[in-house]
Amino acid sequence: MKTWLRRNLFRTWWDALLTIVFSGVALWAMWSVFRFVVFTGRWEIIDVNLRLLLVGRFPKESLWVLYGVVIATCFWGAAALGGGKVAGAREASRSEQLFAAVRRFGLLVVVGLLLVVLAGVRESMWFVVAVVGAIVLGLQVKKWRRSIAKLRQIPAVIWHVALAITPITMMVLVIRSADVQLWGGFLINFYIAVLSILLCFPLGVLLALGRRSSLPMVRLVCATYIEVVRGAPLFVLLLLSGVALDFFLPPQIDPGPVFRSVTVFTMFTAAYLAEIIRGGLQSIPKGQTEAARALGLPTVKIIFLVTLPQALRNVIPAQIGQFISLFKDTTLAGAALSILEMLKISEAITKQDAFLGRGYIYEVLAFAGLLFWVGSYVMSKESQRVEKKLGVGQR
Amino acid sequence: MSESVNADATQMSGGRTDSDAIVVLEGVHKKFKDFSALKGVDFKVGKREVVVIIGPSGSGKSTLIRCVNRLEEHDKGRIIVDGIELTLDIRNIEEVRKETGMVFQSFNLFPHLTVLSNVAIGPRQVRKMSKAKSEELAHELLTRVKIPEQAEKFPAQLSGGQQQRVAIARALAMKPKVMLFDEPTSALDPEMINEVLDVIKELAKDGMTMIVVTHEMGFAREVADRVVFMSDGEIVEVGTPSELFDHPKDPRTQKFLSQIL
Ligand SMILES: Nc1ncnc2c1ncn2[C@@H]1O[C@H](COP(=O)(O)OP(=O)(O)O)[C@@H](O)[C@H]1O
Ligand SMILES: [Mg+2]
């Protein structure tokens, strides 16, 4: 212990100084957070407004479907993506597994508990338990599929469709159970982000391919689009979408603010994504295309079977980074298009009679920030894992 | 047209070859910007013939065999493979590529696919074979190149020699009529060269038509029906291994051989 300390923390007087300074900073930060959470923070504002913050004016009688979606999706995600050792890694012992699990989920568990305590979700405890249960069950199902011969024979397509049916039907139910304009809070941030991510990904791929096309007109259009969109501030585009979209649509159609924002986020993120993917494509050696051509593969198959999969894998971190910014930027939609998303609601509830003019904004923003942080953290961590899993045998 | 081509080939190709020419080049020119890499190459390869191309670096050997499957586009002259002339028509090009297998100096395996998928991708995607059939074929070919046990690994987990053998299996999976090798052992550590050359020798024994660019003179002597010496974008001299190695006529050939032997 003593030698470890000496070797790692206090090797020279300069190291020692740095160690002490940084420990001091860390301790001070931890203490400030702790004091705020436990002593000075006035969390009753979250407690009272929790439903508003999370789902806005989403009708109370349909809430159970929403809960269902979250639980079913957690199960699905765990069963489809989760678990699975990184191939090639040796069997880990129990204690190593435990250590890895703590490292992977420890921070999340702490934050989750924090959220539960802060928001006083005591009566919603069953929901937290259900989510955790769904994830554990999903991981187990995934393991069963690996180990039980009968399950392994089910083709991957059928297997995944079967698993996905429940959450997807429930999502459709949710979307139909309440007009999207009624949705609000974190739910609408999440919805806008997910929808935009799903839409911007194919668009980004097409733009990247277009910018590398051998046809000059295609190249020109894609390059212009990318450069114009990347040159504009997102907030300006959001403000503009309140008006500009109507130039392209027949007058009887009003897409409503949510879809206006989804359009902007999709188009904006696709432009950045296109550049990221283009970089990935450029990093693929020429020999790959040549080998595929020599086999007689047609151009489209070369792109979709050989170069694009490698390119996408090489730029996973940058892509996820872009998705994370998109997720956080959904908070701009409130100010620009008067969507009652998390930030807008956070601000609004501080103006309720009980809280007005007493500086509750800190607590509310801390809570909102925490939720976004959890989302971003999960995305970034999971992407690292997926990357490792796909990176098997890479050069 | 192809009739006359075939008649010519009978006279051109000697040794143990069959009658028809399968690869025909007539007056092929290739320029990179204003640098002439090929300056009028006339050349025929008969069925079941093994032709080895030698020559100093930069003499146009790679350019020549890359023109045969259109990885490079020639500027002038005609290239006919198995009766199909290479023109701008993409269908002809893809047809020729189906009939020719190529093995590169740097292997160029697909790193995101398993060894098995690397071999199966051609027949599956180009020849529209079923998944099961193409994988069966892939297993067969991996056995033929003596690495059946590596099927589920990824290329990066194999040694250079093993990777190059997978690359050969991948090319063979298309059941090509001609195999093109561009310095297949130049990127290998010395101890792995022979395992790859042995596989190529066996192909020669089985009667595969091959064009091989190589610096392995012992190998050339053993398997080649004809050896072609290239220099400065031209074919300088053609002959049987003993003609070319033991009694080179052209001073450039003599100089090259004296440098490397
Ligand atoms: N893509 C290219 N662009 C420009 N010059 C090239 C290209 N490919 C080959 N060359 C030139 O053509 C000549 C012949 O090249 P190559 O066929 O690769 O020779 P070898 O394989 O005999 O070493 C060389 O001088 C080389 O620099
Ligand atoms: Mg070369």
Side-chain angles (χ1 to χ4, degrees):
Chain A
M1 184 67 187
K2 216 165 165 189
T3 52
W4 183 89
L5 279 180
R6 177 157 307 147
R7 188 170 311 137
N8 287 289
L9 301 178
F10 301 102
R11 202 172 334 196
T12 65
W13 67 269
W14 175 240
D15 287 1
L17 185 67
L18 284 180
T19 299
I20 290 167
V21 168
F22 276 77
S23 310
V25 170
L27 280 176
W28 174 79
M30 268 155 63
W31 167 244
S32 311
V33 171
F34 182 77
R35 204 180 40 175
F36 180 54
V37 170
V38 178
F39 300 124
T40 61
R42 297 156 298 174
W43 302 108
E44 62 277 9
I45 184 168
I46 308 291
D47 213 355
V48 174
N49 292 296
L50 186 66
R51 192 158 67 84
L52 216 47
L53 280 169
L54 290 183
V55 298
R57 287 174 296 154
F58 193 87
K60 205 169 180 180
E61 62 279 7
S62 306
L63 266 183
W64 65 272
V65 205
L66 204 54
Y67 285 138
V69 166
V70 176
I71 295 168
T73 310
C74 286
F75 168 76
W76 176 35
L81 304 171
K85 289 188 295 284
V86 172
R90 67 203 161 76
E91 278 303 327
S93 72
R94 280 253 157 230
S95 63
E96 278 173 318
Q97 279 176 3
L98 191 69
F99 180 68
V102 168
R103 222 176 38 182
R104 236 174 96 196
F105 303 116
L107 201 48
L108 276 178
V109 170
V110 170
V111 169
L113 287 177
L114 202 64
L115 279 173
V116 171
V117 173
L118 287 191
V121 209
R122 280 166 298 272
E123 64 271 39
S124 301
M125 229 19 218
W126 69 267
F127 175 66
V128 177
V129 172
V131 165
V132 174
I135 293 177
V136 171
L137 187 64
L139 292 176
Q140 197 57 45
V141 167
K142 169 114 187 182
K143 239 187 227 153
W144 283 335
R145 177 167 193 231
R146 288 243 166 107
S147 54
I148 300 176
K150 274 232 176 69
L151 288 182
R152 235 180 313 173
Q153 280 162 9
I154 304 172
V157 183
I158 297 181
W159 174 258
H160 284 292
V161 168
L163 284 180
I165 278 178
T166 328
I168 289 177
T169 345
M170 293 195 85
M171 281 177 212
V172 174
L173 267 182
V174 166
I175 290 168
R176 300 196 45 173
S177 66
D179 186 2
V180 172
Q181 313 303 341
L182 284 182
W183 297 22
F186 194 62
L187 174 64
I188 198 72
N189 293 92
F190 198 75
Y191 180 68
I192 292 176
V194 169
L195 212 54
S196 308
I197 287 173
L198 291 180
L199 292 172
C200 81
F201 181 69
L203 185 60
V205 168
L206 288 181
L207 283 168
L209 294 176
R211 198 165 186 181
R212 287 167 57 92
S213 162
S214 54
L215 304 170
M217 251 346 266
V218 176
R219 228 165 32 222
L220 182 71
V221 169
C222 290
T224 311
Y225 173 89
I226 291 169
E227 293 310 332
V228 167
V229 171
R230 289 203 316 157
L234 177 57
F235 195 68
V236 171
L237 290 178
L238 281 169
L239 287 173
L240 257 178
S241 75
V243 202
L245 269 190
D246 298 330
F247 299 152
F248 304 103
L249 290 170
Q252 60 273 28
I253 295 181
D254 175 12
V258 170
F259 290 103
R260 283 174 199 274
S261 76
V262 167
T263 311
V264 171
F265 285 121
T266 300
M267 293 175 62
F268 184 78
T269 309
Y272 281 89
L273 211 53
E275 284 301 276
I276 292 172
I277 295 171
R278 187 168 71 102
L281 284 168
Q282 254 156 7
S283 73
I284 308 298
K286 222 174 74 211
Q288 290 291 306
T289 323
E290 288 184 350
R293 270 206 218 128
L295 283 175
L297 287 169
T299 311
V300 174
K301 284 196 172 176
I302 296 178
I303 292 170
F304 286 97
L305 296 175
V306 177
T307 48
L308 192 58
Q310 294 185 55
L312 290 177
R313 182 177 68 180
N314 289 352
V315 295
I316 288 176
Q319 289 181 75
I320 297 294
Q322 206 57 53
F323 293 153
I324 289 175
S325 348
L326 164 61
F327 175 49
K328 292 185 291 190
D329 287 344
T330 54
T331 47
L332 293 175
L337 292 165
S338 307
I339 294 170
L340 287 176
E341 49 72 51
M342 185 98 185
L343 198 64
K344 190 95 173 169
I345 291 198
S346 301
E347 211 194 337
I349 60 176
T350 60
K351 303 205 174 103
Q352 290 165 338
D353 288 346
F355 308 113
L356 185 63
R358 292 168 51 198
Y360 271 93
I361 191 73
Y362 297 115
E363 283 82 358
V364 179
L365 287 183
F367 180 74
L370 200 60
L371 274 189
F372 279 101
W373 180 82
V374 171
S376 311
Y377 184 77
V378 171
M379 272 201 257
S380 126
K381 275 285 167 215
E382 283 308 289
S383 82
Q384 282 171 15
R385 217 173 47 78
V386 170
E387 190 189 5
K388 248 197 221 137
K389 222 159 113 183
L390 293 178
V392 181
Q394 172 69 300
R395 276 176 261 284
Chain B
M1 160 223 91
S2 70
E3 299 262 312
S4 71
V5 164
N6 289 347
D8 280 351
T10 323
Q11 291 147 27
M12 280 294 292
S13 52
R16 59 163 200 253
T17 57
D18 295 351
S19 52
D20 326 41
I22 193 154
V23 178
V24 179
L25 285 82
E26 288 172 1
V28 172
H29 287 256
K30 170 70 189 171
K31 271 189 177 177
F32 293 109
K33 302 253 165 58
D34 42 8
F35 174 81
S36 270
L38 295 180
K39 306 169 185 164
V41 172
D42 291 297
F43 180 51
K44 288 187 177 108
V45 181
K47 276 193 183 142
R48 304 169 73 85
E49 194 182 16
V50 178
V51 173
V52 167
I53 303 179
I54 59 172
S57 157
S59 57
K61 308 182 295 295
S62 299
T63 309
L64 176 68
I65 69 167
R66 287 161 61 87
C67 280
V68 173
N69 66 352
R70 236 335 144 97
L71 289 185
E72 305 287 356
E73 189 181 329
H74 58 289
D75 311 317
K76 233 164 70 181
R78 288 166 30 128
I79 299 177
I80 299 156
V81 181
D82 196 26
I84 306 162
E85 174 157 9
L86 281 170
T87 55
L88 286 176
D89 189 343
I90 185 74
R91 278 167 308 179
N92 280 3
I93 295 173
E94 279 174 4
E95 207 52 45
V96 165
R97 283 175 181 162
K98 279 187 211 172
E99 306 303 336
T100 52
M102 186 168 221
V103 176
F104 301 84
Q105 182 177 345
S106 50
F107 326 141
N108 294 347
L109 293 178
F110 305 130
H112 61 304
L113 301 178
T114 61
V115 164
L116 191 72
S117 310
N118 263 282
V119 180
I121 190 173
R124 176 132 176 73
Q125 299 295 337
V126 182
R127 297 240 188 255
K128 314 282 180 216
M129 212 182 264
S130 73
K131 186 167 153 55
K133 269 243 173 80
S134 65
E135 290 187 349
E136 195 188 310
L137 173 66
H139 275 298
E140 235 166 68
L141 287 165
L142 288 175
T143 311
R144 191 160 163 199
V145 299
K146 303 186 186 67
I147 34 176
E149 71 286 356
Q150 312 284 4
E152 297 309 321
K153 289 198 182 162
F154 285 88
Q157 295 167 301
L158 306 188
S159 74
Q162 291 173 325
Q163 288 191 49
Q164 193 61 300
R165 283 184 283 155
V166 174
I168 295 174
R170 176 176 69 177
L172 289 176
M174 288 297 293
K175 300 249 155 70
K177 296 191 173 142
V178 185
M179 284 285 285
L180 310 170
F181 291 85
D182 190 359
E183 305 199 24
T185 57
S186 296
L188 295 176
D189 292 334
E191 74 271 18
M192 296 174 184
I193 291 180
N194 278 327
E195 64 188 57
V196 171
L197 290 184
D198 286 345
V199 170
I200 303 177
K201 283 179 200 165
E202 271 182 30
L203 284 179
K205 228 182 276 161
D206 295 344
M208 175 63 79
T209 311
M210 301 199 278
I211 306 178
V212 187
V213 175
T214 186
H215 295 296
E216 299 291 328
M217 297 304 157
F219 165 81
R221 215 180 252 280
E222 190 180 334
V223 302
D225 295 310
R226 280 190 299 159
V227 180
V228 173
F229 174 71
M230 282 187 75
S231 182
D232 301 314
E234 287 170 321
I235 292 184
V236 175
E237 195 169 342
V238 184
T240 63
S242 67
E243 282 168 6
L244 202 112
F245 289 128
D246 301 333
H247 313 287
K249 294 191 197 83
D250 195 284
R252 280 182 288 180
T253 320
Q254 289 162 358
K255 182 156 170 266
F256 176 72
L257 288 174
S258 70
Q259 275 165 354
I260 61 157
L261 288 179

